[in-house]
Amino acid sequence: MSESVTIEVPARLHLGFLDIPGSAPEPGRERFGSIGLPITGISTQLKISLGSSDQVEGDESDRISRHLSAVRHHLGLNARHRIIVQRTIPQHVGLGSGTQLALAVAAGIRVLHNLPLDPVNDAGLLGRGMRSGIGIAAFRSGGLIIDAGKSPARAAPTIVARLPFPEDWRAILVSDATTQGIHGEDEIEAFKTLPPFPAAAAASISRHVLMGVMPGVVERDITLFGHAIHAIQTEIGNYFAPAQGGVFTSRQVEAAMGRLSQAGAVGVGQSSWGPTGFAFAASESEAERIVNACREATAGVNIEIVAGKNSGAHILRPAASDNCEVPTENIFIRQEQIS
């Protein structure tokens, strides 16, 4: 058994749904389907070790404690654990904090006890991945991820494509610390009250994914990719506008995204319910040029340049623990000699 495990899981951008089933979905329209991308620079990191009692130190202690109790019960573990929260993805800003936190707790406990990873079933146990599979897939491996939604027979949405994201491309993130995206019961109510999602919009989004997003990434054509993402975001934003007060949750973010677009950014949109907005540039230098050109006009929001992430969770454990079952895909488990 490991003495301790440190696990880092990435934030993700949710680039849009493929379809949005209504309360009485038509045959063939029972699934959401999603497009997403894990990113560098923003992550949740936990250190988990054995303890005399279950204790959590740091942010999100209540939620982590609930996850810890559920995982221990599910795995039949009598041991107690100490969890130190070293950093977390900001909550309710559209970066997938809830799913990544849940999977980090479950995976850390499993690796600590030399048990095989099982992110799909752990997500279901902890109430994650009901609509989108992007968070689970971002934990398991990186790249541009497309899921086809969840069928009643499966524990999580089905991943139908995972493409390496161009290493040179950058995402420009715009956040507004004064507001949060819709979440919890408000999110459930929003889906109940919004009208049926138009079939024509779902068809248009699917066409843009297949004929724009995917070839744009494979061919390293950021103009094609950006046009398709923006078109998808326009459909999704217009649909959610009655629930979130506009195409963007934050008026400040919306204004900043307009400026970035004018300066040359492509693929402008909002991640999930926001308020985080995103846009893309072909390189670090181009992203910096775009941001600097808009600096005076974007006061009041935070702007950050990040890259897409082409790998999954990162797990560190002492080298003395050599019996852990290493997972398939590209979750990275590293052993180090710790004095």
Side-chain angles (χ1 to χ4, degrees):
M1 181 185 295
S2 300
E3 294 179 359
S4 67
V5 168
T6 298
I7 178 166
E8 182 179 14
V9 291
R12 62 93 181 106
L13 296 177
H14 195 280
L15 305 179
F17 286 116
L18 275 64
D19 199 357
I20 301 174
S23 57
E26 308 165 22
R29 294 193 65 193
E30 300 91 353
R31 304 173 180 232
F32 280 81
S34 301
I35 318 157
L37 176 71
I39 55 175
T40 63
I42 304 173
S43 64
T44 287
Q45 183 170 305
L46 309 177
K47 183 176 181 179
I48 305 177
S49 58
L50 295 178
S52 58
S53 63
D54 283 340
Q55 54 183 309
V56 180
E57 302 172 19
D59 294 340
E60 305 242 40
S61 58
D62 289 346
R63 183 152 59 161
I64 292 172
S65 295
R66 291 194 298 271
H67 292 332
L68 173 58
S69 177
V71 171
R72 277 207 311 106
H73 178 75
H74 175 68
L75 296 176
L77 298 174
N78 293 320
R80 297 297 187 264
H81 303 83
R82 181 188 184 200
I83 299 180
I84 299 174
V85 183
Q86 297 174 324
R87 61 175 172 269
T88 58
I89 300 164
Q91 291 187 66
H92 311 314
V93 299
L95 296 178
S97 63
T99 297
Q100 296 310 306
L101 187 70
L103 292 177
V105 172
I109 295 297
R110 285 178 174 275
V111 172
L112 186 70
H113 292 276
N114 294 334
L115 297 172
L117 298 182
D118 189 5
V120 170
N121 288 311
D122 286 341
L125 171 72
L126 301 176
R128 312 306 304 183
M130 297 299 102
R131 297 188 186 93
S132 170
I134 301 304
I136 301 170
F139 175 88
R140 297 174 72 171
S141 63
L144 184 80
I145 300 159
I146 301 169
D147 78 62
K150 182 180 179 299
S151 75
R154 294 184 64 87
T158 301
I159 304 304
V160 294
R162 185 184 285 113
L163 302 172
F165 197 74
E167 298 286 348
D168 292 342
W169 290 8
R170 293 294 182 266
I172 303 170
L173 308 186
V174 180
S175 58
D176 177 359
T178 67
T179 188
Q180 292 184 331
I182 296 173
H183 59 277
E185 292 299 321
D186 290 338
E187 180 183 14
I188 295 171
E189 188 62 26
F191 277 112
K192 288 180 180 178
T193 57
L194 286 166
F197 192 63
S204 175
I205 289 171
S206 296
R207 177 174 60 83
H208 283 300
V209 169
L210 183 61
M211 303 305 292
V213 172
M214 295 176 72
V217 168
V218 172
E219 297 168 6
R220 305 301 196 257
D221 184 339
I222 197 168
T223 301
L224 177 62
F225 170 82
H227 174 78
I229 291 293
H230 180 66
I232 292 165
Q233 282 287 310
T234 298
E235 296 279 12
I236 296 295
N238 286 334
Y239 176 72
F240 284 126
Q244 63 186 15
V247 173
F248 287 83
T249 295
S250 165
R251 302 288 77 75
Q252 288 182 294
V253 170
E254 183 173 23
M257 301 315 297
R259 293 286 188 172
L260 292 172
S261 179
Q262 291 172 8
V266 301
V268 170
Q270 174 180 282
S271 183
S272 189
W273 289 103
T276 302
F278 61 77
F280 294 90
S283 66
E284 181 82 21
S285 60
E286 175 65 1
E288 291 174 351
R289 181 197 67 77
I290 291 169
V291 169
N292 289 333
C294 304
R295 189 68 70 180
E296 292 184 5
T298 54
V301 297
N302 181 63
I303 300 181
E304 186 172 0
I305 298 171
V306 301
K309 191 172 189 294
N310 284 317
S311 59
H314 184 130
I315 303 173
L316 173 65
R317 59 179 185 161
S321 307
D322 57 2
N323 296 317
C324 179
E325 180 175 324
V326 177
T328 57
E329 302 188 71
N330 65 345
I331 299 171
F332 183 53
I333 295 185
R334 188 175 83 235
Q335 297 184 138
E336 287 189 356
Q337 189 64 45
I338 298 177
S339 58

